[in-house]
């Protein structure tokens, strides 16, 4: 694994939130000033393909990266954009029964308005 890739994995693993490529780049640049954004994107793609990290894509939003590759759901605040893990349990069998299809996997992304954003609205 290259030193750039190790740094990117380390940044994601040490974060307590889901990070965008730009956020990862800013942190990586502090430790490795010569790194460029294209290198970050290329490594994120490779790490996602290798199942080292997980790309979280929400419709109409930029991608975020998750250190937890075990299948789980995500929830995003519609106002501030904060993404968190949501654990609703395995819905594969229910989806198979309801659809009549042999579902092999799924992604479920939920949207809501977080408490901080609710409190900020008069």
């Amino acid at each position: 694994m290259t030193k750039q890739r190790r740094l990117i994995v380390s940044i994601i693993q040490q974060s307590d939130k889901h990070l965008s490529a730009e956020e990862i780049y800013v942190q990586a640049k502090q430790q490795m000033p010569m790194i460029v954004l294209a290198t970050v994107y290329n490594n994120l793609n490779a790490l996602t393909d290798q199942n080292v990290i997980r790309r979280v894509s929400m419709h109409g939003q930029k991608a975020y990266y998750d250190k937890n590759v075990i299948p789980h759901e995500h929830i995003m605040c519609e106002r501030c954009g904060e993404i968190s893990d949501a654990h609703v349990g395995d819905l594969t069998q229910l989806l198979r029964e309801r659809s009549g299809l042999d579902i092999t996997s799924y992604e479920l992304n939920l949207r809501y308005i977080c408490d901080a954003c609710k409190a900020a609205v008069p």
Side-chain angles (χ1 to χ4, degrees), residues 63-121:
Y64 289 85
Y65 296 87
D66 191 347
K67 61 188 165 192
N68 183 357
V69 295
I70 297 169
H72 64 282
E73 296 71 33
H74 292 94
I75 188 164
M76 182 184 84
C77 176
E78 290 185 335
R79 293 206 180 130
C80 69
E82 184 71 24
I83 294 178
S84 303
D85 291 344
H87 301 280
V88 298
D90 188 358
L91 301 175
T92 307
Q93 189 57 38
L94 175 67
L95 294 170
R96 284 178 181 156
E97 291 169 5
R98 297 273 171 97
S99 69
L101 302 171
D102 186 18
I103 303 296
T104 58
S105 68
Y106 65 92
E107 287 190 29
L108 177 61
N109 296 318
L110 307 164
R111 295 178 183 263
Y112 78 126
I113 299 173
C114 71
D115 292 340
C117 287
K118 284 181 190 174
V121 176

